Amino acid sequence: MKNTAIVWAAWVCGLIVSLPVQVAAQRLITGAPLSIPPILEESGSEGRERVFDLTVQRGTREFATGTQSATLGYNGEYLGPTIRVRRNDNVRLRVRNHLDEATTVHWHGAHLPAEADGGPHQRVPAGDTWEARFRIAQEAATLWYHPHDMGTSAEQVYQGLAGFFIIDDEHSDSLALPDTYGTDDIPLVLQERRFTRDGRLEYNPRMPDIMHGYFGNALLTNGAVEPFLEVSDQRIRLRILNGSNSSLLRVFMDSGIPMYQVATDGGFLGRPVEVEQVVLSPGERAELVLDLRGQEGTRPSLMAESNGGNTYTALSLRVAAALQQSRELPATLVRRETPTDTGAVRRRDFVLSSMGRGGRLTINGRTMDMSRIDEQVKLGTTEVWRISSQGMMMAMPHNFHVHGLQFQILRMNGSQPPPHLRGPKDTVLLYPGDTVEIVLNFENYTGVFMYHCHLLEHEDEGMMGQFEVLP
Ligand SMILES: [Cu+2]
């Protein structure tokens, strides 16, 4: 595996010279208390189903004093509540679309029936209601939800449509990890965004933005710039989602606070892995535990550097003068087998390319066609998919997201993945020239699911395909 720091530095430097200088977003409101998304209250239970209601709505938000930005939100003006459920719950998620355009709600990372997935086949027209009903059939994890209609996902997410979807189970209950939501267990959605000179949220992508990334001049953390959080526990857990459209984010602490990654996209790592930084591509999550012992009375910051070249304070911590004792981090988090390819019935290749005709963004030379099934797999089998990123002439990162399941990384450029990537994943980053092999188990559900680049401008340009799980 390439040295992440070197690859990252090359990327950032390469891009800075090619980008227009961004207008500094000086008038944005900073320094408010961190907003914690509320846990969505159940609307009730019908039989053995837990019912939740989401309304997709328009709103406005004052990111800069005196300037209103048009936004979108779930049950509010920007972002959405946290849906929190337990393994084996039966859920009914009712979505009302109060927009004047179609949308969908995709439960990113969830293992579920195809008709509940919320991809482009489950379109919710303006004014309509849609229901997703499924059983939570996977381990504890930090998932999220967002729009996924054809061609409009990027703009709708950009304007604010995103929320956390957290799953708990008996095993996660038993682990000695910080778990008081909003106190020592903090959801953080980081979104690089572009603001106009007068502080209005702007989405106006031109061709270079679509190809290289819609970089910004500010970072929103749970919807605000440079918020702060008062902490009074020795250990805090951060559930970090890169909710940017296309920016990669390198996340780190500005001081030498020990940081341990405990989970990837879809569940725990086998053991905590000490990390100095995590690089998250759009859609990826990482759960980190910070050890604040010795930091009493200080104000360390969580930082995020975008591959567009800007470095932001994502969150200022105000550490109490005396800290409450936290439990020791467990040495083992979960029993996690090393993935192998011995049980795989088939291998497939997926080539991500930005070199095709007219610089099109393609997978295996094709752009998305809703009426075409690109791959057919058999229910109950295991496959190895080899994803590679070509296009050194127009070098740009991509990632690869698979719907309906969690996979494991078998190899990255021929080697075992680094320890912090050995948990369940639904989205994996590829730098130009990279090859990543993943192991997928197609269990429980038949039907049509998507795979795509989760850089949203690439996805909207059609860098997506469909696989059908056949009985
Ligand atoms: Cu891409």
Side-chain angles (χ1 to χ4, degrees):
M1 191 61 201
K2 290 176 207 164
N3 182 314
T4 307
I6 293 170
V7 173
W8 180 265
W11 263 103
V12 173
C13 296
L15 283 166
I16 289 169
V17 292
S18 66
L19 281 173
V21 176
Q22 299 293 337
V23 177
Q26 290 157 340
R27 298 183 58 232
L28 296 173
I29 298 166
T30 62
L34 177 71
S35 158
I36 303 288
I39 302 276
L40 182 60
E41 295 269 341
E42 250 174 275
S43 306
S45 25
E46 291 172 16
R48 286 168 40 245
E49 258 182 346
R50 300 181 67 190
V51 182
F52 296 93
D53 280 288
L54 289 177
T55 299
V56 193
Q57 57 194 73
R58 291 202 173 276
T60 59
R61 177 166 282 202
E62 207 174 281
F63 293 103
T65 306
T67 303
Q68 296 291 339
S69 293
T71 55
L72 301 177
Y74 297 107
N75 301 0
E77 93 266 15
Y78 190 85
L79 297 174
T82 295
I83 296 171
R84 190 142 197 187
V85 295
R86 294 185 63 81
R87 187 171 195 163
N88 295 322
D89 279 353
N90 291 295
V91 297
R92 179 195 294 221
L93 301 154
R94 269 196 306 235
V95 175
R96 288 181 183 79
N97 180 8
H98 283 187
L99 306 183
D100 49 17
E101 63 183 28
T103 189
T104 80
V105 185
H106 168 55
W107 322 102
H108 181 126
H111 178 48
L112 37 53
E115 64 271 19
D117 181 58
H121 291 290
Q122 288 86 44
R123 177 172 245 225
V124 194
D128 262 21
T129 298
W130 173 73
E131 284 188 351
R133 301 173 71 176
F134 57 99
R135 186 173 72 86
I136 305 298
Q138 66 195 100
E139 63 194 85
T142 303
L143 314 181
W144 66 300
Y145 61 95
H146 63 80
H148 207 304
D149 201 9
M150 287 297 293
T152 61
S153 299
E155 182 158 20
Q156 291 186 354
V157 172
Y158 194 86
Q159 288 194 279
L161 292 178
F164 282 98
F165 192 111
I166 296 177
I167 299 172
D168 302 297
D169 62 16
E170 284 181 11
H171 179 68
S172 65
D173 291 347
S174 74
L175 284 176
L177 289 173
D179 60 2
T180 307
Y181 184 81
T183 301
D184 65 2
D185 183 356
I186 312 294
L188 291 178
V189 49
L190 307 182
Q191 301 173 304
E192 191 180 39
R193 292 290 187 261
R194 190 179 298 180
F195 288 88
T196 60
R197 199 179 290 272
D198 62 351
R200 200 168 29 77
L201 186 63
E202 181 180 59
Y203 190 70
N204 183 24
R206 294 163 303 154
M207 193 43 78
D209 300 315
I210 291 168
M211 297 303 278
H212 291 284
Y214 197 76
F215 300 117
N217 52 7
L219 184 84
L220 299 179
T221 302
N222 295 357
V225 181
E226 290 184 31
F228 74 87
L229 177 71
E230 289 180 351
V231 290
S232 57
D233 291 280
Q234 288 178 340
R235 292 189 177 83
I236 62 166
R237 174 184 189 172
L238 305 177
R239 300 177 188 250
I240 302 178
L241 159 66
N242 182 353
S244 304
N245 273 31
S246 48
S247 311
L248 313 188
L249 295 176
R250 183 174 73 87
V251 180
F252 56 99
M253 293 299 296
D254 68 348
S255 50
I257 291 176
M259 196 160 79
Y260 300 87
Q261 185 167 345
V262 296
T264 48
D265 299 332
F268 293 114
L269 290 163
R271 58 182 176 80
V273 177
E274 185 163 8
V275 290
E276 289 182 357
Q277 59 184 16
V278 289
V279 173
L280 295 175
S281 65
E284 285 185 289
R285 287 87 66 209
E287 291 186 35
L288 304 176
V289 173
L290 305 185
D291 186 342
L292 299 173
R293 287 175 300 171
Q295 302 295 323
E296 289 84 349
T298 66
R299 293 189 171 190
S301 291
L302 181 77
M303 309 296 293
E305 181 188 21
S306 155
N307 61 328
N310 286 328
T311 302
Y312 308 100
T313 299
L315 179 67
S316 297
L317 297 175
R318 296 186 181 175
V319 185
L323 292 177
Q324 296 178 45
Q325 193 169 355
S326 300
R327 294 174 293 179
E328 289 291 326
L329 262 191
T332 303
L333 295 164
V334 70
R335 191 177 151 76
R336 187 76 64 207
E337 305 283 345
T338 303
T340 68
D341 45 9
T342 49
V345 300
R346 195 168 160 174
R347 296 170 168 278
R348 293 174 205 258
D349 278 295
F350 296 84
V351 178
L352 312 181
S353 175
S354 38
M355 282 235 296
R357 284 168 291 163
R360 283 187 320 149
L361 296 156
T362 57
I363 299 177
N364 289 344
R366 296 186 291 216
T367 54
M368 173 71 169
D369 179 345
M370 294 259 298
S371 63
R372 184 190 69 224
I373 300 297
D374 297 277
E375 309 290 337
Q376 291 184 317
V377 305
K378 189 148 174 46
L379 183 68
T381 64
T382 297
E383 297 198 0
V384 170
W385 289 7
R386 183 169 62 191
I387 305 129
S388 52
S389 179
Q390 293 182 351
M392 296 302 283
M393 296 289 283
M394 279 180 72
M396 64 189 70
H398 297 290
N399 66 15
F400 193 78
H401 170 49
V402 184
H403 283 216
L405 52 78
Q406 293 287 327
F407 54 77
Q408 276 192 282
I409 301 174
L410 179 65
R411 283 183 286 266
M412 302 185 89
N413 299 321
S415 305
Q416 201 185 7
H420 69 279
L421 289 177
R422 293 180 193 168
K425 295 284 292 170
D426 54 56
T427 307
V428 61
L429 166 65
L430 292 98
Y431 291 106
D434 274 355
T435 296
V436 175
E437 290 159 88
I438 61 176
V439 181
L440 310 94
N441 297 311
F442 300 99
E443 298 172 314
N444 298 320
Y445 307 116
T446 55
V448 176
F449 296 91
M450 312 289 129
Y451 55 83
H452 60 89
C453 177
H454 213 289
L455 277 66
L456 295 178
E457 284 74 23
H458 292 184
E459 176 184 330
D460 277 353
E461 285 290 303
M463 201 169 195
M464 178 154 59
Q466 307 191 84
F467 69 99
E468 181 174 16
V469 184
L470 295 169

